[in-house]
Amino acid sequence: MVDTDRFRPSVTVAAVIEQGGRYLLVEEETPEGLRLNNPAGHVERGESPVEAVVREALEETARHFVPQAFLGVYLARFQRPAAAAPEDVTYVRLAFSGTVGEAIAGRALDAGIHRTLWLSAAELAACPGRHRSPLVLQCVHDHAAGRRLPLDAVFSHASLRAPGGQGRESRP
């Protein structure tokens, strides 16, 4: 018997990228209008969180992201009332900090991403109504406060990729 009331959070990753006191953000289209977010997205089947954050940062910023530290695990609930089907999702965000290179010339940004921009923590804090979620600013605050955990704090077993759950374990 399937438990349809079982809690099923949505697992996402986010890249927190700082250069010269400014943070790389994306401005993306949402049902609520244009919102600011860290480069972020969902972990796909067979993908480790580190692989997911590298992929998402590239897709959303057209820059190669090199993770250097794990910031932490963040949870937030999002509720959107809708006439047809209300949305009530809890997101589990795994946030990583790291560096990026220059934008790759000619590489398009992911669908729905309007542009990238660099903002200071104070500039980001001054516009909370434009944030995709409260986790955007929380991740930036934690980074600015010096939070850094080793990348190997996030473990991905090889069973993510291997048929039948067999395979090698991997660390970032």
Side-chain angles (χ1 to χ4, degrees):
M1 179 179 206
V2 176
D3 181 3
T4 57
D5 291 331
R6 186 172 159 209
F7 179 60
R8 290 175 173 47
S10 185
V11 180
T12 63
V13 291
V16 179
I17 302 151
E18 182 266 335
Q19 287 181 3
R22 302 179 87 69
Y23 289 86
L24 180 60
L25 300 165
V26 297
E27 187 175 57
E28 61 186 338
E29 187 64 45
T30 73
E32 292 75 36
L34 287 177
R35 294 290 186 260
L36 297 173
N37 199 2
N38 314 103
H42 294 269
V43 176
E44 294 180 358
R45 185 180 306 275
E47 187 175 57
S48 74
V50 170
E51 292 166 336
V53 74
V54 168
R55 176 187 50 78
E56 285 291 348
L58 177 61
E59 290 174 355
E60 294 193 356
T61 70
R63 296 167 184 261
H64 290 289
F65 176 65
V66 178
Q68 296 177 320
F70 179 57
L71 288 180
V73 179
Y74 301 80
L75 281 85
R77 185 176 180 190
F78 178 76
Q79 295 177 290
R80 176 184 293 129
E87 211 175 332
D88 187 354
V89 181
T90 297
Y91 289 97
V92 176
R93 173 183 273 205
L94 304 172
F96 298 85
S97 66
T99 61
V100 291
E102 292 298 315
I104 300 167
R107 182 172 177 109
L109 301 178
D110 215 2
I113 304 295
H114 283 248
R115 65 181 176 141
T116 63
L117 63 159
W118 294 89
L119 296 177
S120 68
E123 289 169 328
L124 184 61
C127 61
R130 294 194 60 216
H131 300 179
R132 177 83 190 249
S133 86
L135 300 181
V136 175
L137 186 60
Q138 186 62 52
C139 288
V140 166
H141 280 320
D142 288 348
H143 180 272
R147 176 180 287 180
R148 306 289 189 281
L149 300 168
L151 284 175
D152 66 2
V154 180
F155 176 79
S156 297
H157 189 268
S159 61
L160 287 173
R161 290 179 193 77
Q166 302 300 315
R168 293 182 19 235
E169 296 176 356
S170 67
R171 294 225 179 237

